[in-house]
Amino acid sequence: MNPRGGCSFALRRSESRNLLQQRILLRRKSTENLDRFIPNRSSIDFDYANYMLTEGCKGKASTVASSPSNEAYRKQLAEVLNLNRTRILAFKNKPSKPVESLFHEASTVKRRKLAKPHRSIPQIADRILDAPDIYDDYYVNVLDWGSSNVLAIGLGYTVHLWDATESSTSELMTADADTGPITSVSWAPDGRHIAVGLNNSEVQIWDYTSNELLRTLRGGHQSRVGTMDWNKHILSTGEMDGLIMNNDVRIRNHIVQTYRGHDQEVCGLKWSPSGQQLASGGNDNLIHIWDRSVASSNTSTQWFRRLENHTAAVRALAWCPFQANLLASGGGAADGSIKFWNAHTGACLNSVDTGSQVCSLLWNKNEREILSSHGFTDNQLTLWKYPSMVKIADLTGHTSRVLFMAQSPDGCTVASAAGDETLRFWTVFGTPGLAKPAVETNTEPFAHWNRIR
């Protein structure tokens, strides 16, 4: 072993160790932050870097042959990741102005159509006709307007017809001293046939187009028939002793149901729009709801609901055309209220004190409104907004209680008759041009019958 060689190796090892320790000490004493890289801009070649980021990458990519599937995948990936968009939420060009001439006129017309036209309520009647010898009796119903636009009114012993289309009048029939006077009239749904109730308890069925008496209903009532209403081929009649009968006018034995519930005269009858329920009002201050589905033939049927809140005779009855099971009723002079009922449950939904006798009620077929006619003291017609029952207008002109009202087939015009022997026409529910089209009427009950037996 060479001692000189061992000494030189130990010396070199000691020098390298000292050099490493010096480097470590220098790093510890340095103020540089060793956890980030701070480039020296003076040593960077920006031209070369720009070339490598642009032209260099393109050249490199072009040298690699890409298959059609890879190219399709690249395009789809770029589309999904929006790599083709260099600017987000930015227009390349300034957006063009919308062309107003194409849509401005159409939008204006649409707004005009959507805008509800203003409806003026008339303060005076459009037309006044004389009605001499009209029966001034709260318990009879001698005015009705048929679907053929012909108005029928009983004046004393004669039924007069007024054709609203032609503005012409004619006489249908005249009762003799033994059967008259006329106590009720009611048009059938077909607008051709009309029922006439008489003071001697008979009911006559007439064809107004030929002025021909088709048949006479006898044998049921014992006193005057003051109110009637149709339900297809069924004619319901009410009399002074409180009895109500359903008559099938197609058959010989016409009495098919009998309703007993009123102790005094029946002065109001109205079938619901569905034809399933009949409302009756009487001089006993009661309202009964009769359900046709539970009626049995030729027997006295129990009422479905009895409504007892009125304190006077109930003549005015009107079923709501836009809400099922809603019935409006009006009380006599000692009551003076309009009440609204849920006919299904029998609950009284609202009651409004009008301050005078309520003689008749009509719903507006085109708006949520109801019209009432009154007696002392103002003898007016009053238009109400439903359901708030805010008074819209009072129509005055009659000098006696307005007992009768009838509505035209288009639902716009109302005819009113009073004890002052005048018949007045009011365009209170709008004009025909603004009203909704009337629902087509069923040709029942005489569509398949040439002559009633």
Side-chain angles (χ1 to χ4, degrees):
M1 181 175 183
N2 190 359
R4 295 183 68 180
C7 291
S8 61
F9 174 77
L11 181 59
R12 287 195 301 270
R13 185 176 181 181
S14 175
E15 290 177 354
S16 62
R17 182 180 299 170
N18 291 336
L19 182 60
L20 180 61
Q21 290 177 351
Q22 290 177 3
R23 288 181 178 178
I24 293 174
L25 291 175
L26 289 174
R27 287 182 180 180
R28 289 180 177 178
K29 292 179 180 180
S30 175
T31 58
E32 293 180 355
N33 190 353
L34 300 180
D35 62 348
R36 60 182 182 148
F37 171 73
I38 302 177
N40 188 356
R41 296 179 64 88
S42 60
S43 62
I44 297 176
D45 189 347
F46 285 98
D47 294 332
Y48 177 75
N50 180 58
Y51 171 79
M52 292 301 297
L53 290 174
T54 56
E55 300 299 331
C57 292
K58 291 181 181 179
K60 184 177 181 181
S62 61
T63 58
V64 180
S66 60
S67 64
S69 60
N70 289 339
E71 185 66 20
Y73 174 75
R74 186 189 65 78
K75 290 182 178 180
Q76 185 176 4
L77 184 64
E79 193 70 28
V80 172
L81 298 180
N82 254 348
L83 297 180
N84 296 330
R85 301 276 309 268
T86 57
R87 298 177 64 194
I88 307 298
L89 296 179
F91 288 108
K92 292 183 177 179
N93 298 316
K94 188 176 181 180
S96 59
K97 293 183 179 180
V99 182
E100 296 183 358
S101 59
L102 295 177
F103 307 102
H104 180 69
E105 184 177 354
S107 62
T108 304
V109 173
K110 185 177 180 180
R111 285 195 299 269
R112 289 176 182 173
K113 289 183 178 180
L114 294 177
K116 198 172 184 180
H118 176 70
R119 187 175 109 238
S120 60
I121 308 299
Q123 298 302 313
I124 59 175
D126 300 323
R127 182 192 296 262
I128 302 176
L129 301 178
D130 291 329
D133 300 324
I134 193 169
Y135 210 165
D136 188 8
D137 191 326
Y138 188 76
Y139 304 102
V140 300
N141 296 267
V142 295
L143 182 70
D144 197 20
W145 204 329
S147 60
S148 59
N149 206 20
V150 177
L151 183 80
I153 184 170
L155 300 177
Y157 290 78
T158 303
V159 175
H160 295 264
L161 303 178
W162 182 74
D163 190 328
T165 304
E166 303 293 336
S167 295
S168 60
T169 60
S170 61
E171 290 186 9
L172 175 68
M173 56 84 66
T174 299
D176 55 34
D178 295 332
T179 59
I182 309 299
T183 54
S184 57
V185 295
S186 181
W187 283 100
D190 62 357
R192 176 179 176 181
H193 300 85
I194 183 172
V196 179
L198 300 171
N199 193 58
N200 73 334
S201 77
E202 293 180 355
V203 176
Q204 297 180 356
I205 310 296
W206 287 77
D207 185 339
Y208 101 92
T209 59
S210 61
N211 264 38
E212 182 181 5
L213 175 62
L214 301 181
R215 71 177 300 182
T216 301
L217 307 181
R218 299 187 180 94
H221 297 295
Q222 303 300 319
S223 56
R224 71 176 182 183
V225 178
T227 181
M228 300 182 294
D229 197 33
W230 289 88
N231 183 10
K232 296 182 179 179
H233 55 270
I234 299 296
L235 175 64
S236 298
T237 56
E239 66 168 323
M240 185 178 289
D241 62 3
L243 190 65
I244 301 171
M245 292 184 179
N246 287 344
N247 304 272
D248 190 336
V249 299
R250 304 171 300 176
I251 59 179
R252 185 176 299 278
N253 298 323
H254 53 86
I255 303 174
V256 292
Q257 281 104 26
T258 302
Y259 298 151
R260 295 184 183 273
H262 292 282
D263 297 330
Q264 299 184 39
E265 183 168 11
V266 180
C267 47
L269 284 176
K270 287 294 178 184
W271 278 100
S272 65
S274 65
Q276 293 301 313
Q277 293 180 327
L278 174 67
S280 64
N283 194 35
D284 52 6
N285 309 342
L286 296 177
I287 301 172
H288 288 102
I289 307 295
W290 311 89
D291 197 316
R292 188 181 179 188
S293 61
V294 298
S296 57
S297 178
N298 292 319
T299 60
S300 298
T301 305
Q302 180 71 16
W303 59 81
F304 175 67
R305 289 280 182 257
R306 170 178 273 189
L307 313 176
E308 303 177 340
N309 292 31
H310 281 291
T311 58
V314 182
R315 180 183 184 275
L317 295 170
W319 291 93
C320 181
F322 52 81
Q323 184 173 336
N325 296 317
L326 178 60
L327 175 68
S329 63
D335 185 301
S337 68
I338 300 175
K339 299 185 187 298
F340 298 91
W341 310 85
N342 184 327
H344 181 71
T345 63
C348 183
L349 306 177
N350 192 13
S351 180
V352 178
D353 185 9
T354 66
S356 61
Q357 182 184 47
V358 182
C359 302
S360 185
L361 291 171
L362 287 176
W363 287 96
N364 187 343
K365 298 178 182 179
N366 307 310
E367 301 289 343
R368 293 179 178 265
E369 298 169 351
I370 189 168
L371 182 69
S372 58
S373 68
H374 300 271
F376 183 80
T377 60
D378 294 327
N379 306 313
Q380 85 282 10
L381 283 72
T382 301
L383 184 63
W384 309 83
K385 187 69 178 177
Y386 183 83
S388 64
M389 291 307 288
V390 173
K391 185 183 294 187
I392 300 176
D394 282 330
L395 312 181
T396 59
H398 284 291
T399 57
S400 181
R401 58 180 179 176
V402 187
L403 290 171
F404 316 109
M405 286 198 303
Q407 194 170 10
S408 62
D410 61 15
C412 299
T413 305
V414 171
S416 62
D420 58 6
E421 298 188 342
T422 63
L423 179 63
R424 299 171 186 259
F425 296 86
W426 316 80
T427 312
V428 63
F429 289 149
T431 58
L434 299 177
K436 298 177 182 178
V439 180
E440 293 184 2
T441 57
N442 195 342
T443 57
E444 290 272 14
F446 304 101
H448 307 292
W449 292 81
N450 295 327
R451 184 180 178 87
I452 300 177
R453 294 189 297 274

